[in-house]
């Protein structure tokens, strides 16, 4: 079935070598990759794509550091790109090899976590906030206290995504701290808030869309796209932006240093920088992407969705997620490990 792959690659990258197999192995967040887009890529390049899921950046990092994984592409958040690079886990990219590299939106080109895009290209970006079932709770949803000091009607019905930086960051801002703070007094407050709050949580799970839609969960720390997907199944679901602070993040596709199907991986990175293809990712997962020109292909219901269009009154509460210094991250990890016991 894959007999034409070499010819296709030769036509696309003239200087590229031939390949023995038309395969590509992607390691990505679960329920985050458009099947429609993958099918289009497979047909266009005659390459078989296999996708393996993970539920957090830490899970992905640990698996890849262990070696012997067999993956070609990984999709870490921006806060983890410097860590992957520092560990020698990512392959450096040559922009000249990607005809669609120029489609990266200027806002997402010279990013702090990957200046000049030497190791990654945009996948999708969004915000972290609070998902609430408004049939259970009818108050202000732009409040992190719904998770960290919840009212009675929400206790025991809360889920928190298992992503350390997102949850720690929101908690730090909730107690009045700043991004990547190493202040011991602030972090003690964060630790106490999280440990006490967990008593009121039902779970710390990644896959929560269906649970919110079915009413099994009433509130929780969540990503905006996942919240929108739940709302499309249940009109009572709403997404709140904590006034004390909420993170803006970007996930990015990168080629692993020990990838076996390097040229296939390069084809895929170039493919997702095509505006129409980037819009397919957004249509499925319901997040914005960092590709200029994709706007005209975006679903109409995303152009005015409350999970995508941030209300004016909470815009200033947004902060960019950052890669914290190792000594600070170590303390965060200690708190996070205690929280998961």
């Amino acid at each position: 079935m894959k007999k034409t792959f070499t010819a296709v690659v030769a036509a696309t990258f003239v200087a590229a070598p031939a390949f023995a197999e038309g395969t590509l192995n992607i390691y990505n967040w679960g329920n985050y990759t458009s099947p429609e887009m993958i099918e289009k890529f497979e047909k266009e390049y005659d390459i078989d794509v296999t996708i393996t899921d993970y539920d957090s950046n830490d899970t992905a990092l640990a698996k890849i550091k262990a070696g012997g994984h067999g993956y070609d592409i990984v999709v870490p958040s921006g806060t983890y790109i410097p860590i992957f690079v520092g560990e020698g886990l990512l392959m450096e990219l040559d922009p000249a090899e990607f005809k669609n590299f120029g489609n990266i939106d200027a806002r997402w080109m010279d990013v702090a976590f990957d200046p000049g895009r030497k190791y990654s290209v945009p996948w999708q970006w969004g915000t972290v906030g609070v998902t609430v079932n408004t049939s259970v709770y009818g108050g202000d949803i732009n409040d992190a206290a719904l998770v960290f000091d919840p009212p009675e009607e929400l206790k025991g019905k809360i889920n928190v995504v298992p992503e350390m930086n997102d949850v720690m960051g929101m908690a730090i801002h909730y107690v009045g701290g700043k991004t990547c703070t190493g202040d011991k007094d602030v972090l003690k407050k964060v630790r106490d808030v999280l440990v006490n709050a967990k008593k009121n949580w039902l779970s710390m799970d990644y896959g929560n869309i269906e649970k919110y839609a079915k009413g099994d969960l009433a509130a929780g720390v969540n990503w905006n796209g996942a919240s929108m997907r739940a709302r499309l199944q249940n009109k009572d679901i709403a997404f709140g932006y904590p006034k004390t602070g909420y993170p803006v993040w970007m996930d990015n596709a990168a080629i692993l240093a020990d990838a076996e199907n390097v040229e296939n991986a390069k084809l895929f990175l170039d493919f997702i920088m095509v505006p129409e293809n980037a819009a397919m990712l957004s249509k499925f997962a319901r997040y914005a992407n960092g590709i200029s020109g994709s706007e005209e292909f975006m679903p109409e219901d995303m152009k005015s969705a409350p999970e995508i269009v941030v209300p004016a009154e909470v815009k200033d509460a947004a902060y960019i997620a950052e890669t914290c210094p190792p000594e600070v991250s170590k303390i965060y990890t200690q708190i996070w490990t205690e929280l998961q016991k």
Side-chain angles (χ1 to χ4, degrees):
M1 177 180 173
K2 302 299 174 188
K3 302 297 184 182
T4 62
F5 177 68
T6 300
V8 172
V9 173
T12 308
F13 293 102
V14 177
F19 305 99
E21 298 179 86
T23 60
L24 180 65
N25 297 303
I26 300 173
Y27 195 32
N28 198 3
W29 299 83
N31 198 16
Y32 195 37
T33 309
S34 165
E36 179 186 17
M37 190 208 68
I38 292 298
E39 182 179 359
K40 180 180 178 182
F41 176 78
E42 289 180 322
K43 288 182 178 179
E44 189 167 325
Y45 292 108
D46 207 11
I47 296 174
D48 280 328
V49 177
T50 298
I51 300 174
T52 303
D53 298 345
Y54 55 82
D55 63 0
S56 73
N57 282 297
D58 286 322
T59 297
L61 179 62
K63 177 72 172 181
I64 291 168
K65 283 181 67 174
H69 48 74
Y71 306 129
D72 302 305
I73 289 174
V74 68
V75 189
S77 298
T79 51
Y80 275 71
I81 291 291
I83 299 173
F84 273 79
V85 172
E87 295 282 350
L89 300 174
L90 301 184
M91 180 177 295
E92 188 166 355
L93 306 178
D94 178 3
E97 291 192 78
F98 301 94
K99 61 183 179 182
N100 297 307
F101 191 81
N103 291 337
I104 298 177
D105 189 280
R107 174 186 180 184
W108 298 112
M109 176 61 79
D110 198 28
V111 287
F113 59 79
D114 187 10
R117 288 289 179 179
K118 295 180 179 179
Y119 292 93
S120 67
V121 304
W123 182 266
Q124 293 186 92
W125 68 273
T127 55
V128 184
V130 181
T131 294
V132 181
N133 187 320
T134 57
S135 70
V136 177
Y137 176 78
D140 180 14
I141 64 172
N142 296 319
D143 190 352
L146 299 186
V147 173
F148 299 137
D149 187 16
E152 285 299 322
E153 59 264 48
L154 295 179
K155 290 181 179 179
K157 305 171 185 176
I158 296 169
N159 179 74
V160 172
V161 292
E163 183 56 36
M164 180 181 74
N165 285 347
D166 292 343
V167 180
M168 285 288 296
M170 192 178 292
I172 287 168
H173 283 262
Y174 177 68
V175 303
K178 297 182 179 180
T179 303
C180 288
T181 183
D183 186 308
K184 298 290 180 60
D185 292 332
V186 170
L187 294 178
K188 184 181 184 303
K189 290 180 183 178
V190 169
R191 180 263 176 201
D192 291 344
V193 163
L194 289 174
V195 170
N196 289 328
K198 189 184 178 183
K199 300 171 186 176
N200 300 310
W201 300 349
L202 175 66
S203 54
M204 294 181 70
D205 293 334
Y206 174 79
N208 56 57
I209 296 171
E210 297 298 329
K211 293 176 183 177
Y212 278 113
K214 293 178 180 178
D216 296 336
L217 297 172
V221 176
N222 202 10
W223 298 291
N224 61 314
S227 190
M228 180 177 179
R229 292 170 73 180
R231 176 177 61 81
L232 292 175
Q233 299 178 56
N234 182 341
K235 63 180 178 57
D236 292 326
I237 300 301
F239 185 72
Y241 301 84
K243 294 184 288 290
T244 47
Y246 60 90
V248 176
W249 51 266
M250 169 168 268
D251 291 337
N252 312 269
I255 301 175
L256 291 163
D258 55 356
E260 296 178 3
N261 302 291
V262 174
E263 299 305 325
N264 299 4
K266 290 178 181 178
L267 281 173
F268 186 78
L269 262 56
D270 205 46
F271 182 82
I272 64 174
M273 289 188 283
V274 174
E276 185 174 2
N277 300 336
M280 284 184 180
L281 285 176
S282 295
K283 179 182 178 182
F284 176 77
R286 298 294 176 166
Y287 297 100
N289 61 72
I291 302 301
S292 295
S294 64
E295 298 81 9
E296 64 177 293
F297 302 104
M298 295 286 277
E300 285 298 320
D301 61 358
M302 288 186 68
K303 295 178 180 179
S304 60
E307 299 89 353
I308 307 298
V309 181
V310 180
E313 62 269 23
V314 291
K315 278 189 175 181
D316 291 342
Y319 63 89
I320 302 297
E322 299 177 17
T323 305
C324 301
E327 63 274 14
V328 172
S329 292
K330 183 178 180 180
I331 300 174
Y332 292 5
T333 300
Q334 291 172 345
I335 295 173
W336 189 249
T337 301
E338 180 180 356
L339 188 67
Q340 292 181 308
K341 290 181 180 178

